Amino acid sequence: MKRQVLNLRNVLACLVVSAAGPGTALADNNAACPEEEANCPTHAQPVQQPAPAPAPMPAEQPTEEQRVESDLHKYGIAISAGGGVADWFSGGMRDLTGTSGTWDVRLYFGLRSQLGAEVAYVGRASSLDTPFNAAINSTTLYGNGVEVLGRLNVVPDMAVQPFVFLGVGWTRFNTTDTLVLADTGVNDSSDTLAFPLGAGVDWKAPFGLLVDARFAFIPTTNDDFIANGQTVVINNVPVVTGGFLDLDSWNFSANVGYAF
């Protein structure tokens, strides 16, 4: 009975303190409710809410330059320049010319896929002795043209990449001197259609460096540049009785470039 009276007194005291205001309730908490604190409404503890999770940082968007570089890398685009040596399969051409020096600039597509392509400017030069006139000799024979190649990359995912290629090209041959076919056996110029084919190997080195070495066999058509035999003039038109020498040739070259 005594404990019940004490509990009732404590509850009444807590209610009086609560009615006086929250500041007073907090200040006189221990004094007003010395016992049975669980029965005092002012001792209810506030529920702590969890701190909100920080908002995720927005993903950094690539710059336009980075997007272009990514596309170039994905498609395996590269450019290179270099040179090499070439010579003719025809013994008659080899007798009249020296070994040719060659040069080229290449643009590659699809170096990182099984099938790729190339577009190239190609050039060559060598000495030339005219077949009919010994007084005109040691002129320079030039060839300039373009070629488009399809290529099969054997192992495109490796740093060392063997490949084979086949394509079509056009080359214009001329000389540094103005020559007359009837007098020298050499036309002033000739446009030939070429079909380069061969094999090579690329090395995709660190920092985008590309090294390319290849051997090509280059058969041609429309060979009408250097006479093979005698030339006669009929109605003021020179006619080569023995036809023209074949301009089929081989070429070994090495290039250095950059793969994006």
Side-chain angles (χ1 to χ4, degrees):
M1 183 65 181
K2 181 179 180 179
R3 183 175 180 82
Q4 292 175 349
V5 172
L6 182 60
N7 289 341
L8 180 59
R9 189 185 63 181
N10 290 339
V11 171
L12 292 174
C14 289
L15 291 176
V16 171
V17 173
S18 298
T24 306
L26 293 175
D28 297 336
N29 187 30
N30 293 330
C33 301
E35 298 180 2
E36 303 295 337
E37 295 181 358
N39 295 324
C40 184
T42 58
H43 280 272
Q45 298 296 321
V47 178
Q48 293 186 353
Q49 298 295 329
M57 296 294 293
E60 184 177 353
Q61 297 298 321
T63 65
E64 183 65 24
E65 181 179 354
Q66 290 172 331
R67 284 194 293 266
V68 171
E69 290 181 355
S70 176
D71 290 340
L72 293 177
H73 181 83
K74 178 174 65 175
Y75 294 117
I77 296 177
I79 188 171
S80 73
V85 294
D87 211 342
W88 317 96
F89 282 96
S90 166
M93 285 295 297
R94 291 198 302 271
D95 292 339
L96 296 174
T97 64
T99 302
S100 300
T102 67
W103 57 91
D104 63 81
V105 177
R106 296 187 178 275
L107 182 61
Y108 305 77
F109 302 91
L111 283 181
R112 294 179 176 84
S113 60
Q114 201 75 48
L115 298 177
E118 298 178 14
V119 178
Y121 156 74
V122 293
R124 64 186 297 163
S126 68
S127 61
L128 171 66
D129 295 332
T130 60
F132 296 167
N133 193 335
I136 303 176
N137 54 28
S138 295
T139 187
T140 301
L141 166 65
Y142 285 105
N144 292 282
V146 295
E147 61 184 26
V148 179
L149 306 178
R151 53 182 283 162
L152 173 65
N153 301 314
V154 180
V155 282
D157 295 331
M158 295 183 63
V160 178
Q161 176 176 277
F163 63 91
V164 294
F165 60 89
L166 172 66
V168 62
W170 163 83
T171 302
R172 182 177 182 85
F173 289 100
N174 53 24
T175 63
T176 52
D177 297 306
T178 302
L179 304 179
V180 179
L181 178 63
D183 295 335
T184 64
V186 179
N187 260 319
D188 57 346
S189 64
S190 176
D191 294 304
T192 63
L193 189 64
F195 301 93
L197 67 152
V201 61
D202 288 338
W203 177 39
K204 291 178 283 190
F207 308 109
L209 178 66
L210 176 70
V211 180
D212 177 306
R214 66 182 64 200
F215 180 85
F217 169 52
I218 310 172
T220 61
T221 63
N222 193 35
D223 300 333
D224 60 356
F225 189 44
I226 298 177
N228 180 25
Q230 298 297 317
T231 301
V232 296
V233 178
I234 302 176
N235 296 327
N236 295 323
V237 177
V239 177
V240 178
T241 59
F244 291 87
L245 295 171
D246 290 334
L247 298 179
D248 300 344
S249 64
W250 60 263
N251 177 27
F252 174 78
S253 63
N255 286 31
V256 177
Y258 181 78
F260 296 92

